[in-house]
């Protein structure tokens, strides 16, 4: 009886344990399962061999120009502030503001009555001294005859000769006075020192101007026009070589989209700015349509050298890492990592070394690529663009048309 009682208690305990297990909720049972079962090696390996879809670009070999880009300022090659050389009153203004003038064209006329009177006075003095000289020469000739007849002494003849020489010198002085008076008179006619466009005219007839103080107008040459910019010190040698060869080609583009202009490098400064490490330079451009205006900002692009037979790939294919720059290439259907050295970048292109022309470099999708991963090339973008232009959605472009 005692043994039967023990077996009965054991059976009841087993039954109670089974009942507790059956009463658990499914969520609790699932949570109690080991985490390692969910991350089985088979599940992890199920997607390890999935290929990565990418787009590629075939590396090209071509000459790549090295462009130097900088911001420049349009400057006039010649700009002159016209001022009077004498203090006087303006008699007449012969130009209008904004007018294009030629070199030597009359701009202003000053009150010249005083200077004209001085010229007339100098001429009258010359006439008077000329008459005195003629009389002195006659006296000298008469004294020579009297000396020959021993009526006068040699000293009297020498005195007459000295009087003639003095009057000759006086005539020379009179002529110089006339020339000086004419120079002063010429200051009353103000002409253009160079061809160009007249700026603001702040004076009018009757205005008093002070000598070398009052600016009457500014004449600015607009054709040709210069552009001032700065060259990095590392490009100084290339710029000097180009300058010896007639000047490197320079392109200037207006910041407001007003067009591009072709010119040539004309000047490189003889000093490197220690604070910026750059050298001032100037290029000259034809400006027949007057689109380049002094003070305007332009984007300057200059070809300083050319990289011969450069291997060119898109900049988007380059991957910067802690160990340097690499690109992924597609070889035998798999990704291969190749270290490259960036030689020069321009726009969307980059000249590199470390790969060969014709290698397929990964451009889009490289963030999912690892060495040795199988790659699948994506359809070319132009095809998608053509499908969109034809009215076919890009997602459905690869589907066959309905019969």
């Amino acid at each position: 009886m005692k043994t039967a009682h023990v077996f009965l208690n054991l059976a009841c305990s087993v039954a109670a344990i089974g009942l507790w297990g059956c009463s658990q909720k499914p969520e609790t049972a699932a949570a109690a399962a080991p985490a390692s079962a969910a991350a089985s090696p088979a599940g992890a390996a199920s997607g390890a061999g999935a290929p990565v879809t990418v787009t590629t670009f075939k590396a090209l070999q071509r000459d790549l120009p090295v462009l130097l880009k900088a911001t420049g300022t349009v400057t006039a090659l010649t700009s002159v502030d016209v001022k009077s050389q004498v203090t006087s009153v303006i008699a007449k203004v012969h130009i209008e503001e904004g007018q294009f003038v030629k070199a030597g064209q009359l701009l202003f006329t000053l009150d010249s009555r005083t200077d004209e009177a001085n010229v007339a006075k100098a001429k009258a003095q010359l006439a008077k001294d000329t008459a005195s000289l003629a009389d002195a020469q006659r006296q000298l000739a008469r004294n020579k005859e009297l000396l020959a007849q021993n009526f006068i002494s040699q000293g009297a003849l020498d005195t007459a000769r000295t009087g003639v020489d003095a009057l000759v010198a006086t005539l020379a002085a009179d002529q110089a006075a006339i020339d000086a008076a004419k120079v002063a008179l010429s200051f009353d006619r103000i002409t253009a020192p160079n061809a160009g466009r007249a700026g603001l005219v702040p004076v009018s007839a009757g205005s008093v101007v002070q000598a070398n103080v009052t600016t009457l107008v500014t004449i600015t040459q607009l054709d040709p026009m210069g552009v001032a910019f700065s060259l990095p010190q590392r490009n100084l040698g290339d710029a000097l070589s180009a300058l010896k060869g007639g000047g490197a080609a320079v392109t200037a583009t207006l910041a407001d989209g007003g067009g591009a202009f072709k010119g040539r490098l004309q000047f490189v400064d003889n000093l490197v700015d220690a604070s910026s490490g750059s050298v001032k330079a100037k290029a000259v451009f034809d400006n027949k349509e007057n689109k380049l205006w002094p003070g305007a900002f332009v984007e300057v692009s200059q070809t300083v050298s050319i990289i011969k037979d450069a291997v060119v790939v898109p900049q988007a294919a380059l991957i910067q890492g802690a160990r340097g720059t690499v690109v992924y290439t597609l070889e035998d259907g798999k990704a291969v990592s190749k270290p490259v050295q960036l030689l020069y970048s321009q726009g969307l292109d980059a000249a590199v070394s470390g790969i060969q022309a014709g290698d397929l470099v990964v451009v889009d999708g490289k963030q999912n690529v690892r060495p040795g991963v199988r790659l699948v090339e994506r359809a070319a973008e132009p095809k998608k663009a053509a499908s969109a232009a034809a009215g076919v959605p890009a997602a459905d472009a690869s589907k066959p048309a309905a019969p």
Side-chain angles (χ1 to χ4, degrees):
M1 291 295 294
K2 186 175 182 179
T3 303
H5 182 69
V6 171
F7 279 104
L8 180 61
N9 290 338
L10 181 59
C12 291
S13 299
V14 174
I17 293 174
L19 181 62
W20 177 82
C22 293
S23 65
Q24 281 187 315
K25 295 182 180 181
E27 294 83 351
T28 306
S36 59
S40 61
S46 60
V52 178
T53 303
V54 296
T55 59
T56 60
F57 178 87
K58 182 180 291 186
L60 304 177
Q61 187 173 24
R62 61 182 177 87
D63 294 343
L64 186 66
V66 177
L67 298 180
L68 173 65
K69 295 186 178 181
T71 300
T73 305
V74 180
T75 58
L77 297 181
T78 304
S79 182
V80 180
D81 292 335
V82 179
K83 298 180 180 180
S84 173
Q85 293 182 277
V86 295
T87 298
S88 184
V89 177
I90 293 180
K92 187 175 182 180
V93 179
H94 299 274
I95 61 169
E96 297 180 354
E97 296 176 343
Q99 176 182 343
F100 284 89
V101 298
K102 299 178 180 179
Q105 181 176 338
L106 182 62
L107 305 179
F108 302 92
T109 300
L110 303 181
D111 185 3
S112 60
R113 291 175 295 178
T114 301
D115 295 322
E116 289 174 353
N118 290 333
V119 172
K121 181 180 178 180
K123 289 182 177 180
Q125 184 64 40
L126 175 64
K128 177 183 176 181
D129 292 336
T130 301
S132 299
L133 176 61
D135 180 66
Q137 289 174 340
R138 286 193 298 269
Q139 292 291 338
L140 177 61
R142 187 177 299 113
N143 287 342
K144 288 181 178 179
E145 293 176 358
L146 293 175
L147 179 63
Q149 299 174 6
N150 294 321
F151 287 113
I152 62 172
S153 65
Q154 182 65 38
L157 179 62
D158 293 340
T159 301
R161 183 178 287 112
T162 301
V164 171
D165 294 340
L167 287 174
V168 170
T170 301
L171 289 182
D174 292 341
Q175 185 60 51
I178 293 175
D179 294 340
K182 287 182 178 180
V183 170
L185 181 62
S186 68
F187 292 158
D188 297 326
R189 289 173 53 86
I190 301 176
T191 58
N194 61 282
R197 186 177 186 272
L200 180 67
V201 181
V203 295
S204 58
S207 300
V208 178
V209 294
Q210 295 183 356
N212 301 316
V213 174
T214 307
T215 300
L216 306 179
V217 69
T218 300
I219 305 297
T220 303
Q221 180 183 352
L222 297 182
D223 184 28
M225 186 63 75
V227 172
F229 58 100
S230 296
L231 286 169
Q233 182 179 352
R234 63 178 179 274
N235 299 123
L236 178 59
D238 295 329
L240 292 177
S241 298
L243 194 61
K244 293 180 180 179
V250 180
T251 302
T253 305
L254 288 171
D256 58 0
F261 304 86
K262 301 292 185 181
R264 304 200 72 81
L265 184 66
Q266 184 190 54
F267 164 76
V268 176
D269 200 3
N270 58 358
L271 178 66
V272 177
D273 189 348
S275 60
S276 62
S278 61
V279 184
K280 294 180 180 179
K282 181 183 291 186
V284 178
F285 299 82
D286 290 333
N287 192 33
K288 299 185 183 302
E289 298 181 359
N290 297 323
K291 291 185 177 181
L292 291 175
W293 215 249
F297 290 99
V298 293
E299 295 295 330
V300 179
S301 177
Q302 177 188 355
T303 302
V304 294
S305 62
I306 297 178
I307 302 177
K308 294 290 186 179
D309 299 328
V311 178
V312 181
V313 298
Q315 287 201 55
L318 304 181
I319 302 174
Q320 302 292 338
R323 298 184 178 179
T325 305
V326 300
V327 296
Y328 283 112
T329 60
L330 176 59
E331 298 180 10
D332 298 330
K334 294 183 179 181
V336 178
S337 176
K338 291 186 176 181
V340 296
Q341 181 180 0
L342 178 62
L343 303 178
Y344 175 71
S345 60
Q346 171 192 326
L348 300 178
D349 298 334
V352 297
S353 62
I355 60 175
Q356 302 296 326
D359 289 350
L360 293 177
V361 296
V362 177
V363 181
D364 295 329
K366 61 182 181 297
Q367 66 275 8
N368 300 322
V369 178
R370 298 294 181 271
V373 171
R374 291 190 295 117
L375 302 179
V376 175
E377 293 189 70
R378 189 183 306 166
E381 294 295 332
K383 294 182 180 179
K384 293 184 179 180
S387 301
V392 180
D396 300 332
S398 60
K399 295 181 180 180

